[in-house]
Amino acid sequence: AIDPNFDENREAVDEHDGHAVWGPVDEPDQLGIHGTHVAVDFDICLADGACLEDCPVDVFEWVDTPGHPESEIKADPVSEAQCIDCMLCVDVCPVDAIDVDAS
Ligand code: SF4
Ligand code: F3S
Ligand code: ZN
């Protein structure tokens, strides 16, 4: 599962589409965590898609990640600022790849 304390245990090493990327990153095998308020561990996401289907405000969009061992697309939290903290995505992800900091 995603580390809920990733913002303390990792460093922001990059930006992607307006959100932070928390390392380590070593493409294409290791992609890190995308986003901060809505954070997706790209190294755990296996492209189930429930988060995209269920998010009421369409926070996520698919992004291509060719060559990653778990899946070659990931749910990217491109509109994390729109999040209304409903926690649906956290509940439906089968591999606990998402953390939403509702505090
Ligand atoms: Fe969307 Fe709710 Fe997840 Fe926020 S907590 S990203 S609003 S499903
Ligand atoms: Fe990935 Fe979980 Fe969404 S596996 S596509 S973050 S439901
Ligand atoms: Zn991203």
Side-chain angles (χ1 to χ4, degrees):
I2 187 170
D3 173 8
N5 297 317
F6 69 88
D7 52 340
E8 290 164 21
N9 297 333
R10 294 176 178 233
E11 278 180 37
V13 294
D14 202 357
E15 280 214 3
H16 176 240
D17 237 329
H19 53 261
V21 179
W22 302 83
V25 172
D26 183 15
E27 293 176 8
D29 291 335
Q30 195 172 26
L31 300 175
I33 291 175
H34 282 230
T36 302
H37 180 74
V38 179
V40 180
D41 193 325
F42 274 24
D43 295 310
I44 296 175
C45 173
L46 38 65
D48 176 84
C51 57
L52 272 94
E53 283 173 28
D54 289 0
C55 177
V57 291
D58 294 333
V59 162
F60 305 97
E61 281 180 16
W62 291 122
V63 65
D64 291 324
T65 57
H68 189 267
E70 291 296 338
S71 60
E72 299 206 324
I73 53 172
K74 306 291 177 183
D76 201 25
V78 290
S79 302
E80 66 175 352
Q82 306 299 316
C83 176
I84 56 170
D85 298 342
C86 72
M87 297 312 222
L88 260 178
C89 58
V90 172
D91 291 341
V92 295
C93 177
V95 288
D96 291 333
I98 307 174
D99 181 70
V100 174
D101 183 10
S103 59

